[in-house]
Structure formats: C-alpha cells, structure tokens
Amino acid sequence: MPPRSDEPRRDATTGSRRGSSRGAAGRGGDPRTGEPGVGGISDARAYTPRGRTIRESSEQRAGREERTGQRRNPRASRSGDPFRPALQVLDGGRAATTRAGRRENAPTTRAGVIRTVPARPRPDDDEELPPPRRRPARAPRRPDRPAARRPSRKRPRPPKLAEPRRRLRLGTLLVLAIFATIGIRLVFLQAVNTPAYAGAGVDDRLTRVDLPAPRGAILDRTGAPLARSVEARYVFADPTRVKDRMATARLLSPLLGVPVSELAEKMKRRGDSQFQYLARGVDIPRAKQIEALELAGIGVHRDERREVPGGDLAANLVGFTSQDMVGLEGLEARYDDLLEGVDGKRVYEAGLGDLNAPIPGGYSMTTPAKPGSSLVLTIDRDLQYQVQQVLGRQMAQTRGSVGAAVVMDSRTGEVLAQASHPTYNAAKPEQSQPTDREDAPTSFVVDPGSVHKAITFGAALQEGVITPDTTMPVANSITQGDTVFSDTHRANGRRMSLPGMMAYSSNVGTIEIADKLGRDRLIDYQKRFGLGQPTGVGMPGEASGRLLPAEEWSGSSYGSVPIGHSVDATPLQMAAVYATIANDGTYVQPHLIKEVVDGQGGRRTPAEPPVTRPVLSPANAAALRTILEAVTTVDDATGVAARVPGYRVAGKTGTGWRLVDGVKQPGEVASFIGMAPAEKPRYVVAVFVWSPGGEGGTVAAPAFREMMGFTLRHYRVPPSGGKAPKFEVFPR
C-alpha cells in the first residue's frame, strides 16, 4: 500500500485539499501508477449511498436530463449531506469504479466485490438522491454450464419494538377511568348516601328516654277521684349480678313487704335472664331507701300505680287494671283506649363512658307524652258510699246472697249510684273471686216478678183497656193453659180497684187485664220500656235479658208473662221502667258517663245524649204513679216497709227467680222499685236481693227506705206537701 499523502484533504463540495491530490481524489486511483488504489477514508466519503461519487451522480443525472429533456428542481436534486458520504465497503481491497460511476468488469485476476453502505440523508441536503441503479439484464444461461448456486442468506427480522405512544394512551385512559370511578363514588357518597351514613353515625350517639304518659282518671260527678294514676317505682333484680340472695332478700323484705323466701326465689338465677320484677308500684320515698342500700344487682325504675282512694267504693263499676296499666274489668276495660295515654320520648346525642351527658348543640328532639283522657261519671261518690253501706248491712242478714241497688235521676237518666254485693277492693283485685267482681245491676238476670205488673197496667191504661177508675171482680185463682195462678190476698170474687190490685199484688186481676190487652200489645210495650235489649249504660258485658217471642207463647204464658215470669231482665232495666213512669211516660236511656276531660288541655266533651222515646202519656203516667202509691199507703199492702217518712212513695214489690244461663236457681229474688216524691218524682231506687233461702223479702223494702231517704236528704228535696190519697181496695 503506497504511503498516505501528506497534503491536506480537500472538501467534497469545495474541492479543498484534505490529504490527497485532486486527481487521486477524483479518480480514486494512484496518480503515480494509474492503477486504482485502495480506497481510504477520503475515497469512501466521496461516494454516494449507491456507490457512486457525488460528481459521478451529478454527471449521470445531467446526461439523463439531456436525453429526456426534463429538468428537476435543483433543491430536490441534492443527494444528501456532503459531510456524510456513503462508505465504501471493499471486498478484496480495491474498488472497480469509473469516473462516471459505472462498474466495469474487474480483472480476471481479482474477484473482489464492491458493496456500499448508504448513509442516511439529512433533511437539509440540497441534492436529491439518485434513482436506484438498475442491474443489467442477465445473459441467458448456457445450457452446458450449470448455474451457480448462490447461497441464500435470509436477513433476520429485528424484534418488533413496543409503541410508546400506544402504551402511554392506554395508561392515560386507565388512570382517567380510575379517577372517574373514585370521583363518581365520592359524589354518590356525599350527595346520595350522606343522610344514611350521617344517620348511622348519629344513631351510635343517640340516647332514648321514654316519657311515660299517665293514665286518665275516673272521677265522680263532682270531680272526686274514684281511680287515678300516681307516679311510683318498680324494683327489679338482675340475678346474674346478685351476690348473696338471702342477705339481699332480708334487707329488702321490710321495705317491700314481701316475704324473704319469695324475694330470694325471684332472685334465683334462671339461665341468662337479667331481669326480674321484685315489686311494682313502690312509693317513691321507699324506693329511695332501697337505692341508698346500693345492693348489687338491685335496681329501681320509674313506674305508675293505679290508686283507688275508696278501695271498694264503686269497685264493681270502676274495675281495675293490670300492673302495666291495661284495663281488665269494669269501666277500666270498657274505656281502656280512652283512658290510656300515648307515651312520649326524648332523643338526644350523648357521649360515652364518663361523658355520658347531652352534647351541647347536638341533636335533640322531645316528643311530649299525651296523658290519657279522664272519665267523669254520673256517680255521686257520697251517695254511692251510702248505698253500698246500706246494701251491705241488709245483705248481712242473708247468707250466700247476691244484691243489686240502683239510684237514678228520673229526668236525666243519670245513674247516681250503682252498687253490688258482694264487692271487692279494686286496689287489691287479686284477693277477690271473679263472682265478687261482677256488676250485679247489669249482669244479674232475673225473672222480675210482680214489679213487671207496672208494665201491664201502664200498657192497658195507654191502650184504653182500663181507666184509673176501673174496677172488676177478682177470683182467688185463674187457670191459663195447664197452670193455675192464685192470689196471696184473696178477693173471693169481689170487685177490686186498680190501686187495690196493685197494693195486694193481685196475679188474677193482672192476668185478666192482660187478656183484654192482648199478647202482641203487651210484647210491644215491654220493648218500649226497654226490656229485651241492653240499656247501653256503658258497662262491659251488660246482659240484654230476653223477652218471650209471640211464637213461643204457650197457654200458661198468658198467665206468667203479665205477672213478670217467663221474662228475663236485669235490675237496671227494671229501674229504667220505673224511671219512665216517673218521667211522665218518657223513656230516657240510663247512662254512667257524664263527660270526657282531655288529658292535655282539660277540654271537656259531654257524653252523647241518651236515647229517649215516649211510652206513656203524661196523664196515664201520673195515673199509674197514683196506682203505685197505694203499695206503700194501703194497710197490709206489700210495700209498707218501703215508706219514707215525710215523703210520698210510689213503688212495687216483686218476687221472682234468678236465672243462670236460662236455668232457674233455688231460692227467690225479692225486689222493690220505687220513686219519690210520688207527686213529682225526682229519683228512682231499685233493690234486688237473691237469697237461696228466700229471705230477700225482708231485705229489699227496708234497704229501699234507707237508700231513698238518704238520696232525698242528700239532694235537699223538700218533703211532700200533701198527704197520700185514700184508696179503696174493694169499692162498693
């Protein structure tokens, strides 16, 4: 290899020297020998990417343009960066190129192959790259010369690189989706579920305190309490925390009034139970003493106790409640919904542990309790007491008997007193028998007997069958069907007046009047007077009684029904019959409720007005009262024992039977129902006494006398101004 020239190199575009002569650089050979020299770095830079020099490429392009007559944009003819010429890769060490850039056949002594590696053109090159060089057409292969088999070299494909843009887009979308999901969830929580989560948080801090509503009171007509609720305490035990049952029971027994053994049994552990009542309705001072003992497992809490100031006063009317203030019997049960209040509550936020106190400014809501309404009865407490005392004393003369007494205001239908015997203490109902707690005036079903004769006489007067002056012969007995009906006071066929028939309670005379009246009209007046249906006085379980339907009448019924047999009625129903007579023939429904007092504002609501209907004309009612007055006026009359000193009394005695489920009971039911003053009646008193031995006749009339006398004095009714009329039993 000849030595490298020391001349400076010539730049490819300016022709300056860069280490070789012009001729050597332009022709690519050795100027001294004329042989193509070995290409150096300078020669390699002089070639284009296709293996031609820049000059050769320009000359070749100029010649092509002259032949075709086309000119190209000189800016587009730039081949590339002149400072980045193509490198010539030599196989065999020498290049075989001509000035024009055409490849000539190499000498047979050299088998060198020239390969060029094009350089990437720069975007600011002024010359356009030359078109690709076409290979000369191959000469047909000679048949006698086998084709040279060129080795096939398959260039390996480079691995496909990931696209960063696609990866970036995918990642961006994924991040945006995550943020969108989080944002939507936050909006949902803040806008939609906020109340629910806030409420759940508040619930954990809320404390609820019940505000019990007191039960309404039951008052008499003057406002005096017959039953009322008072605040109390209940004492309870947690058996799982009680340490010494016997020692605890001994400390509590004198305070609660409960035996030690009973308390110890209640505190006995039973499974996982953590609550057991020890006492209900404990007075507040006594409850404070129990709290002061600080006994393990013993607690005290607010309670309500039903207080009955009178004990047994009107107990059969008022009834009682359970320890949970639920009405069980009497008016307490009948008007339980009205008397029961609506509990309130207080809900507030409080801390936990030692900070268990209302949080200032926290949530707080109070629903006030609504106390129950109070019932104001028509009962007069003082009169009720006296009636009960009288009934009790009179009933003491009989053994195993049942008594009922009713005092009514004939003009208004108000029940002023309603007593039963036996009775009980409503404050301690557990100590009584169920039969002691029945209200006899509304549940005591009897055959009323002769007190029913007032209905027969009244219907006959109203229908014009008889007049107040009617007289008729009365036999000692009469037969109806297969039954003979007789009189106790024998008339022996003499003519008797209507007052005489009533005074001596003539069965025969009454039956004969009923025969003239007729069956259907008698049944009609029984209904008008209120028999056969409950009075609706307000007591639960009131009996309706029963009238014998016309189709069930037998031959004997024409004799039994007019005198008060084969008829089922209650003492209150029969008292309403006589009140109708006393009220000038107008029936007024008996009732016990006067008004209702609102538990919140004290607003008073009168009870519904009673049902009224005319039964008799005032004239016929007055005539009937006069007839009934003979019962207490005529000598040897049946009701002489019912006279009230200073007052004229109209009434009637009766003797009937007691019926239990339609079955006649042994003994008799004696009764007396009367009104006073007879000339202008104000009050009606009814007394019914059933005794197994039949001693009621000696009890009913005297009991009426005492009760009516006290009632007239209690209400300051002046004595009768005139004397009772003179009655002729057997007129001439």
Side-chain angles (χ1 to χ4, degrees), residues 457 460 465-475 478 487 491-501 506-517 728-731:
F457 276 65
V465 172
I466 59 175
T467 66
D469 299 329
T470 297
T471 62
M472 62 179 64
V474 177
I478 188 174
D487 284 345
N492 297 322
R494 291 178 294 175
R495 301 186 70 87
M496 292 186 70
S497 64
L498 297 181
M501 294 180 193
S506 174
N507 294 330
V508 176
T510 304
I511 293 171
E512 289 180 350
I513 293 173
D515 286 341
K516 296 178 182 181
L517 177 65
E728 291 187 48
V729 177
F730 301 103

mmCIF file of all heavy atoms in Angstrom, residues 457 460 465-475 478 487 491-501 506-517 728-731:
data_model
loop_
_atom_site.group_PDB
_atom_site.id
_atom_site.type_symbol
_atom_site.label_atom_id
_atom_site.label_comp_id
_atom_site.label_asym_id
_atom_site.label_seq_id
_atom_site.Cartn_x
_atom_site.Cartn_y
_atom_site.Cartn_z
ATOM 1 N N PHE A 457 -150.081 -2.776 83.601
ATOM 2 C CA PHE A 457 -151.054 -1.738 83.916
ATOM 3 C C PHE A 457 -150.856 -0.501 83.034
ATOM 4 O O PHE A 457 -151.818 0.110 82.551
ATOM 5 C CB PHE A 457 -150.959 -1.350 85.391
ATOM 6 C CG PHE A 457 -151.735 -2.247 86.309
ATOM 7 C CD1 PHE A 457 -151.409 -3.584 86.468
ATOM 8 C CD2 PHE A 457 -152.816 -1.754 87.035
ATOM 9 C CE1 PHE A 457 -152.131 -4.396 87.317
ATOM 10 C CE2 PHE A 457 -153.546 -2.577 87.894
ATOM 11 C CZ PHE A 457 -153.205 -3.905 88.037
ATOM 12 N N ALA A 460 -152.096 -1.137 79.518
ATOM 13 C CA ALA A 460 -153.561 -1.171 79.461
ATOM 14 C C ALA A 460 -154.151 0.231 79.567
ATOM 15 O O ALA A 460 -155.145 0.552 78.891
ATOM 16 C CB ALA A 460 -154.081 -2.066 80.580
ATOM 17 N N VAL A 465 -157.634 0.134 77.573
ATOM 18 C CA VAL A 465 -158.295 -1.093 78.022
ATOM 19 C C VAL A 465 -158.913 -0.882 79.395
ATOM 20 O O VAL A 465 -159.982 -1.416 79.722
ATOM 21 C CB VAL A 465 -157.304 -2.266 78.020
ATOM 22 C CG1 VAL A 465 -157.914 -3.517 78.665
ATOM 23 C CG2 VAL A 465 -156.812 -2.558 76.622
ATOM 24 N N ILE A 466 -158.220 -0.091 80.224
ATOM 25 C CA ILE A 466 -158.708 0.241 81.553
ATOM 26 C C ILE A 466 -158.578 1.732 81.758
ATOM 27 O O ILE A 466 -157.876 2.414 81.002
ATOM 28 C CB ILE A 466 -157.938 -0.512 82.655
ATOM 29 C CG1 ILE A 466 -156.434 -0.168 82.584
ATOM 30 C CG2 ILE A 466 -158.181 -2.024 82.568
ATOM 31 C CD1 ILE A 466 -155.606 -0.768 83.701
ATOM 32 N N THR A 467 -159.197 2.214 82.777
ATOM 33 C CA THR A 467 -159.058 3.606 83.207
ATOM 34 C C THR A 467 -158.671 3.607 84.664
ATOM 35 O O THR A 467 -158.748 2.584 85.342
ATOM 36 C CB THR A 467 -160.373 4.370 83.020
ATOM 37 O OG1 THR A 467 -161.364 3.824 83.914
ATOM 38 C CG2 THR A 467 -160.859 4.277 81.571
ATOM 39 N N PRO A 468 -158.231 4.762 85.168
ATOM 40 C CA PRO A 468 -157.840 4.795 86.584
ATOM 41 C C PRO A 468 -158.979 4.392 87.533
ATOM 42 O O PRO A 468 -158.697 3.935 88.651
ATOM 43 C CB PRO A 468 -157.422 6.239 86.804
ATOM 44 C CG PRO A 468 -156.991 6.715 85.453
ATOM 45 C CD PRO A 468 -157.908 6.023 84.491
ATOM 46 N N ASP A 469 -160.227 4.508 87.096
ATOM 47 C CA ASP A 469 -161.357 4.190 87.957
ATOM 48 C C ASP A 469 -161.904 2.785 87.724
ATOM 49 O O ASP A 469 -162.929 2.408 88.310
ATOM 50 C CB ASP A 469 -162.478 5.198 87.733
ATOM 51 C CG ASP A 469 -162.026 6.615 88.083
ATOM 52 O OD1 ASP A 469 -161.168 6.748 88.981
ATOM 53 O OD2 ASP A 469 -162.514 7.562 87.433
ATOM 54 N N THR A 470 -161.266 2.007 86.882
ATOM 55 C CA THR A 470 -161.759 0.675 86.547
ATOM 56 C C THR A 470 -161.746 -0.218 87.780
ATOM 57 O O THR A 470 -160.757 -0.239 88.542
ATOM 58 C CB THR A 470 -160.923 0.047 85.431
ATOM 59 O OG1 THR A 470 -161.051 0.836 84.251
ATOM 60 C CG2 THR A 470 -161.376 -1.373 85.155
ATOM 61 N N THR A 471 -162.828 -0.964 87.950
ATOM 62 C CA THR A 471 -162.912 -1.996 88.978
ATOM 63 C C THR A 471 -163.411 -3.268 88.303
ATOM 64 O O THR A 471 -164.110 -3.215 87.292
ATOM 65 C CB THR A 471 -163.874 -1.609 90.107
ATOM 66 O OG1 THR A 471 -165.191 -1.444 89.572
ATOM 67 C CG2 THR A 471 -163.422 -0.321 90.794
ATOM 68 N N MET A 472 -163.095 -4.404 88.867
ATOM 69 C CA MET A 472 -163.541 -5.684 88.311
ATOM 70 C C MET A 472 -163.511 -6.753 89.392
ATOM 71 O O MET A 472 -162.708 -6.673 90.339
ATOM 72 C CB MET A 472 -162.670 -6.098 87.128
ATOM 73 C CG MET A 472 -161.206 -6.328 87.477
ATOM 74 S SD MET A 472 -160.203 -6.832 86.084
ATOM 75 C CE MET A 472 -160.323 -5.378 85.059
ATOM 76 N N PRO A 473 -164.373 -7.739 89.256
ATOM 77 C CA PRO A 473 -164.348 -8.831 90.222
ATOM 78 C C PRO A 473 -163.088 -9.663 90.034
ATOM 79 O O PRO A 473 -162.668 -9.937 88.919
ATOM 80 C CB PRO A 473 -165.603 -9.627 89.893
ATOM 81 C CG PRO A 473 -165.929 -9.290 88.497
ATOM 82 C CD PRO A 473 -165.440 -7.900 88.254
ATOM 83 N N VAL A 474 -162.523 -10.038 91.124
ATOM 84 C CA VAL A 474 -161.263 -10.787 91.067
ATOM 85 C C VAL A 474 -161.449 -12.084 91.837
ATOM 86 O O VAL A 474 -161.779 -12.077 93.045
ATOM 87 C CB VAL A 474 -160.095 -9.992 91.665
ATOM 88 C CG1 VAL A 474 -158.820 -10.819 91.662
ATOM 89 C CG2 VAL A 474 -159.901 -8.693 90.905
ATOM 90 N N ALA A 475 -161.250 -13.195 91.155
ATOM 91 C CA ALA A 475 -161.327 -14.507 91.776
ATOM 92 C C ALA A 475 -160.046 -14.800 92.526
ATOM 93 O O ALA A 475 -159.032 -14.091 92.385
ATOM 94 C CB ALA A 475 -161.606 -15.561 90.721
ATOM 95 N N ILE A 478 -156.907 -18.333 88.784
ATOM 96 C CA ILE A 478 -157.246 -18.390 87.375
ATOM 97 C C ILE A 478 -156.332 -19.398 86.711
ATOM 98 O O ILE A 478 -155.158 -19.540 87.093
ATOM 99 C CB ILE A 478 -157.134 -17.005 86.714
ATOM 100 C CG1 ILE A 478 -157.670 -17.034 85.279
ATOM 101 C CG2 ILE A 478 -155.699 -16.514 86.732
ATOM 102 C CD1 ILE A 478 -157.722 -15.652 84.627
ATOM 103 N N ASP A 487 -153.871 -15.809 94.076
ATOM 104 C CA ASP A 487 -153.508 -14.584 94.792
ATOM 105 C C ASP A 487 -153.200 -14.915 96.248
ATOM 106 O O ASP A 487 -153.828 -15.795 96.860
ATOM 107 C CB ASP A 487 -154.640 -13.563 94.751
ATOM 108 C CG ASP A 487 -154.736 -12.871 93.412
ATOM 109 O OD1 ASP A 487 -153.760 -12.971 92.628
ATOM 110 O OD2 ASP A 487 -155.770 -12.221 93.138
ATOM 111 N N ALA A 491 -159.462 -12.157 97.137
ATOM 112 C CA ALA A 491 -160.577 -11.206 96.978
ATOM 113 C C ALA A 491 -161.929 -11.912 97.036
ATOM 114 O O ALA A 491 -162.959 -11.243 97.212
ATOM 115 C CB ALA A 491 -160.453 -10.474 95.661
ATOM 116 N N ASN A 492 -161.881 -13.221 96.847
ATOM 117 C CA ASN A 492 -163.100 -14.025 96.908
ATOM 118 C C ASN A 492 -164.149 -13.537 95.905
ATOM 119 O O ASN A 492 -165.351 -13.523 96.189
ATOM 120 C CB ASN A 492 -163.689 -14.034 98.319
ATOM 121 C CG ASN A 492 -162.744 -14.681 99.325
ATOM 122 O OD1 ASN A 492 -162.071 -15.671 99.017
ATOM 123 N ND2 ASN A 492 -162.662 -14.092 100.511
ATOM 124 N N GLY A 493 -163.680 -13.078 94.770
ATOM 125 C CA GLY A 493 -164.589 -12.668 93.708
ATOM 126 C C GLY A 493 -165.147 -11.276 93.847
ATOM 127 O O GLY A 493 -165.949 -10.823 93.016
ATOM 128 N N ARG A 494 -164.766 -10.527 94.855
ATOM 129 C CA ARG A 494 -165.257 -9.161 94.999
ATOM 130 C C ARG A 494 -164.592 -8.247 93.985
ATOM 131 O O ARG A 494 -163.523 -8.530 93.456
ATOM 132 C CB ARG A 494 -164.967 -8.660 96.407
ATOM 133 C CG ARG A 494 -165.780 -9.344 97.492
ATOM 134 C CD ARG A 494 -165.392 -8.814 98.864
ATOM 135 N NE ARG A 494 -164.012 -9.176 99.218
ATOM 136 C CZ ARG A 494 -163.403 -8.749 100.334
ATOM 137 N NH1 ARG A 494 -164.049 -7.945 101.166
ATOM 138 N NH2 ARG A 494 -162.164 -9.135 100.608
ATOM 139 N N ARG A 495 -165.252 -7.128 93.756
ATOM 140 C CA ARG A 495 -164.685 -6.146 92.835
ATOM 141 C C ARG A 495 -163.526 -5.431 93.519
ATOM 142 O O ARG A 495 -163.623 -5.012 94.665
ATOM 143 C CB ARG A 495 -165.750 -5.151 92.385
ATOM 144 C CG ARG A 495 -166.956 -5.794 91.677
ATOM 145 C CD ARG A 495 -167.884 -4.737 91.137
ATOM 146 N NE ARG A 495 -167.287 -4.031 90.004
ATOM 147 C CZ ARG A 495 -167.380 -4.438 88.729
ATOM 148 N NH1 ARG A 495 -168.047 -5.546 88.445
ATOM 149 N NH2 ARG A 495 -166.837 -3.723 87.770
ATOM 150 N N MET A 496 -162.496 -5.272 92.758
ATOM 151 C CA MET A 496 -161.296 -4.595 93.279
ATOM 152 C C MET A 496 -160.963 -3.420 92.373
ATOM 153 O O MET A 496 -161.160 -3.460 91.161
ATOM 154 C CB MET A 496 -160.101 -5.553 93.335
ATOM 155 C CG MET A 496 -160.246 -6.671 94.359
ATOM 156 S SD MET A 496 -158.722 -7.661 94.477
ATOM 157 C CE MET A 496 -157.628 -6.492 95.273
ATOM 158 N N SER A 497 -160.428 -2.379 93.003
ATOM 159 C CA SER A 497 -159.931 -1.226 92.243
ATOM 160 C C SER A 497 -158.536 -1.526 91.751
ATOM 161 O O SER A 497 -157.831 -2.425 92.216
ATOM 162 C CB SER A 497 -159.926 0.013 93.128
ATOM 163 O OG SER A 497 -159.012 -0.155 94.202
ATOM 164 N N LEU A 498 -158.120 -0.722 90.785
ATOM 165 C CA LEU A 498 -156.746 -0.900 90.282
ATOM 166 C C LEU A 498 -155.714 -0.654 91.372
ATOM 167 O O LEU A 498 -154.733 -1.418 91.478
ATOM 168 C CB LEU A 498 -156.509 0.020 89.091
ATOM 169 C CG LEU A 498 -157.376 -0.234 87.841
ATOM 170 C CD1 LEU A 498 -157.008 0.742 86.726
ATOM 171 C CD2 LEU A 498 -157.209 -1.665 87.363
ATOM 172 N N PRO A 499 -155.832 0.423 92.208
ATOM 173 C CA PRO A 499 -154.879 0.564 93.316
ATOM 174 C C PRO A 499 -154.909 -0.626 94.263
ATOM 175 O O PRO A 499 -153.846 -1.030 94.780
ATOM 176 C CB PRO A 499 -155.333 1.836 94.018
ATOM 177 C CG PRO A 499 -156.033 2.617 92.966
ATOM 178 C CD PRO A 499 -156.722 1.577 92.119
ATOM 179 N N GLY A 500 -156.079 -1.208 94.482
ATOM 180 C CA GLY A 500 -156.144 -2.374 95.360
ATOM 181 C C GLY A 500 -155.431 -3.566 94.758
ATOM 182 O O GLY A 500 -154.734 -4.319 95.457
ATOM 183 N N MET A 501 -155.637 -3.786 93.453
ATOM 184 C CA MET A 501 -154.931 -4.904 92.800
ATOM 185 C C MET A 501 -153.424 -4.728 92.917
ATOM 186 O O MET A 501 -152.687 -5.691 93.134
ATOM 187 C CB MET A 501 -155.330 -4.974 91.327
ATOM 188 C CG MET A 501 -156.778 -5.335 91.053
ATOM 189 S SD MET A 501 -157.081 -5.380 89.278
ATOM 190 C CE MET A 501 -158.898 -5.439 89.251
ATOM 191 N N SER A 506 -152.233 -8.451 93.013
ATOM 192 C CA SER A 506 -153.153 -9.479 92.542
ATOM 193 C C SER A 506 -152.694 -10.057 91.213
ATOM 194 O O SER A 506 -152.642 -9.343 90.191
ATOM 195 C CB SER A 506 -154.567 -8.895 92.376
ATOM 196 O OG SER A 506 -155.427 -9.837 91.802
ATOM 197 N N ASN A 507 -152.348 -11.319 91.214
ATOM 198 C CA ASN A 507 -151.993 -12.015 89.975
ATOM 199 C C ASN A 507 -153.215 -12.203 89.073
ATOM 200 O O ASN A 507 -153.136 -12.016 87.863
ATOM 201 C CB ASN A 507 -151.387 -13.388 90.283
ATOM 202 C CG ASN A 507 -150.049 -13.285 90.991
ATOM 203 O OD1 ASN A 507 -149.303 -12.319 90.800
ATOM 204 N ND2 ASN A 507 -149.766 -14.262 91.834
ATOM 205 N N VAL A 508 -154.334 -12.553 89.691
ATOM 206 C CA VAL A 508 -155.541 -12.837 88.913
ATOM 207 C C VAL A 508 -156.019 -11.571 88.208
ATOM 208 O O VAL A 508 -156.348 -11.581 87.013
ATOM 209 C CB VAL A 508 -156.643 -13.410 89.824
ATOM 210 C CG1 VAL A 508 -157.945 -13.609 89.046
ATOM 211 C CG2 VAL A 508 -156.206 -14.720 90.456
ATOM 212 N N GLY A 509 -156.065 -10.463 88.948
ATOM 213 C CA GLY A 509 -156.516 -9.213 88.335
ATOM 214 C C GLY A 509 -155.600 -8.776 87.213
ATOM 215 O O GLY A 509 -156.037 -8.285 86.160
ATOM 216 N N THR A 510 -154.300 -8.923 87.397
ATOM 217 C CA THR A 510 -153.355 -8.527 86.350
ATOM 218 C C THR A 510 -153.511 -9.400 85.119
ATOM 219 O O THR A 510 -153.449 -8.895 83.976
ATOM 220 C CB THR A 510 -151.920 -8.613 86.896
ATOM 221 O OG1 THR A 510 -151.797 -7.815 88.083
ATOM 222 C CG2 THR A 510 -150.929 -8.144 85.856
ATOM 223 N N ILE A 511 -153.706 -10.691 85.290
ATOM 224 C CA ILE A 511 -153.863 -11.594 84.147
ATOM 225 C C ILE A 511 -155.131 -11.256 83.362
ATOM 226 O O ILE A 511 -155.130 -11.273 82.122
ATOM 227 C CB ILE A 511 -153.862 -13.057 84.621
ATOM 228 C CG1 ILE A 511 -152.481 -13.446 85.179
ATOM 229 C CG2 ILE A 511 -154.250 -13.998 83.483
ATOM 230 C CD1 ILE A 511 -152.425 -14.797 85.858
ATOM 231 N N GLU A 512 -156.191 -10.920 84.074
ATOM 232 C CA GLU A 512 -157.428 -10.565 83.391
ATOM 233 C C GLU A 512 -157.272 -9.271 82.591
ATOM 234 O O GLU A 512 -157.807 -9.143 81.485
ATOM 235 C CB GLU A 512 -158.559 -10.421 84.408
ATOM 236 C CG GLU A 512 -159.007 -11.744 85.009
ATOM 237 C CD GLU A 512 -160.128 -11.577 86.007
ATOM 238 O OE1 GLU A 512 -160.432 -10.417 86.367
ATOM 239 O OE2 GLU A 512 -160.696 -12.593 86.430
ATOM 240 N N ILE A 513 -156.524 -8.298 83.126
ATOM 241 C CA ILE A 513 -156.259 -7.074 82.364
ATOM 242 C C ILE A 513 -155.409 -7.384 81.141
ATOM 243 O O ILE A 513 -155.643 -6.852 80.043
ATOM 244 C CB ILE A 513 -155.569 -6.028 83.263
ATOM 245 C CG1 ILE A 513 -156.521 -5.548 84.356
ATOM 246 C CG2 ILE A 513 -155.071 -4.857 82.447
ATOM 247 C CD1 ILE A 513 -155.874 -4.654 85.387
ATOM 248 N N ALA A 514 -154.436 -8.266 81.267
ATOM 249 C CA ALA A 514 -153.572 -8.642 80.145
ATOM 250 C C ALA A 514 -154.370 -9.374 79.067
ATOM 251 O O ALA A 514 -154.054 -9.220 77.872
ATOM 252 C CB ALA A 514 -152.430 -9.508 80.638
ATOM 253 N N ASP A 515 -155.359 -10.148 79.472
ATOM 254 C CA ASP A 515 -156.190 -10.817 78.462
ATOM 255 C C ASP A 515 -156.912 -9.803 77.592
ATOM 256 O O ASP A 515 -157.069 -10.004 76.379
ATOM 257 C CB ASP A 515 -157.203 -11.737 79.148
ATOM 258 C CG ASP A 515 -156.553 -13.016 79.701
ATOM 259 O OD1 ASP A 515 -155.422 -13.324 79.233
ATOM 260 O OD2 ASP A 515 -157.136 -13.682 80.567
ATOM 261 N N LYS A 516 -157.353 -8.705 78.198
ATOM 262 C CA LYS A 516 -158.011 -7.659 77.418
ATOM 263 C C LYS A 516 -157.016 -6.912 76.542
ATOM 264 O O LYS A 516 -157.363 -6.433 75.464
ATOM 265 C CB LYS A 516 -158.709 -6.682 78.354
ATOM 266 C CG LYS A 516 -159.842 -7.300 79.174
ATOM 267 C CD LYS A 516 -160.451 -6.269 80.123
ATOM 268 C CE LYS A 516 -161.554 -6.894 80.980
ATOM 269 N NZ LYS A 516 -162.173 -5.898 81.906
ATOM 270 N N LEU A 517 -155.809 -6.775 77.030
ATOM 271 C CA LEU A 517 -154.775 -6.050 76.281
ATOM 272 C C LEU A 517 -154.303 -6.851 75.071
ATOM 273 O O LEU A 517 -154.104 -6.303 73.983
ATOM 274 C CB LEU A 517 -153.593 -5.717 77.198
ATOM 275 C CG LEU A 517 -152.392 -5.013 76.577
ATOM 276 C CD1 LEU A 517 -152.790 -3.615 76.100
ATOM 277 C CD2 LEU A 517 -151.248 -4.914 77.589
ATOM 278 N N GLU A 728 -159.495 2.951 97.991
ATOM 279 C CA GLU A 728 -160.448 1.900 98.301
ATOM 280 C C GLU A 728 -160.046 0.661 97.518
ATOM 281 O O GLU A 728 -160.031 0.671 96.295
ATOM 282 C CB GLU A 728 -161.871 2.316 97.905
ATOM 283 C CG GLU A 728 -162.440 3.425 98.771
ATOM 284 C CD GLU A 728 -163.895 3.666 98.452
ATOM 285 O OE1 GLU A 728 -164.632 2.652 98.384
ATOM 286 O OE2 GLU A 728 -164.260 4.820 98.262
ATOM 287 N N VAL A 729 -159.760 -0.387 98.245
ATOM 288 C CA VAL A 729 -159.358 -1.633 97.604
ATOM 289 C C VAL A 729 -160.587 -2.335 97.040
ATOM 290 O O VAL A 729 -160.574 -2.828 95.903
ATOM 291 C CB VAL A 729 -158.606 -2.531 98.597
ATOM 292 C CG1 VAL A 729 -158.251 -3.859 97.944
ATOM 293 C CG2 VAL A 729 -157.368 -1.827 99.118
ATOM 294 N N PHE A 730 -161.641 -2.386 97.848
ATOM 295 C CA PHE A 730 -162.877 -3.029 97.402
ATOM 296 C C PHE A 730 -163.978 -1.971 97.394
ATOM 297 O O PHE A 730 -164.695 -1.803 98.392
ATOM 298 C CB PHE A 730 -163.243 -4.191 98.333
ATOM 299 C CG PHE A 730 -162.159 -5.260 98.418
ATOM 300 C CD1 PHE A 730 -161.319 -5.328 99.538
ATOM 301 C CD2 PHE A 730 -161.998 -6.171 97.399
ATOM 302 C CE1 PHE A 730 -160.348 -6.307 99.623
ATOM 303 C CE2 PHE A 730 -161.025 -7.148 97.494
ATOM 304 C CZ PHE A 730 -160.184 -7.220 98.596
ATOM 305 N N PRO A 731 -164.107 -1.248 96.342
ATOM 306 C CA PRO A 731 -165.122 -0.200 96.324
ATOM 307 C C PRO A 731 -166.528 -0.814 96.348
ATOM 308 O O PRO A 731 -166.761 -1.910 95.864
ATOM 309 C CB PRO A 731 -164.865 0.519 94.997
ATOM 310 C CG PRO A 731 -164.172 -0.484 94.151
ATOM 311 C CD PRO A 731 -163.360 -1.346 95.079
#
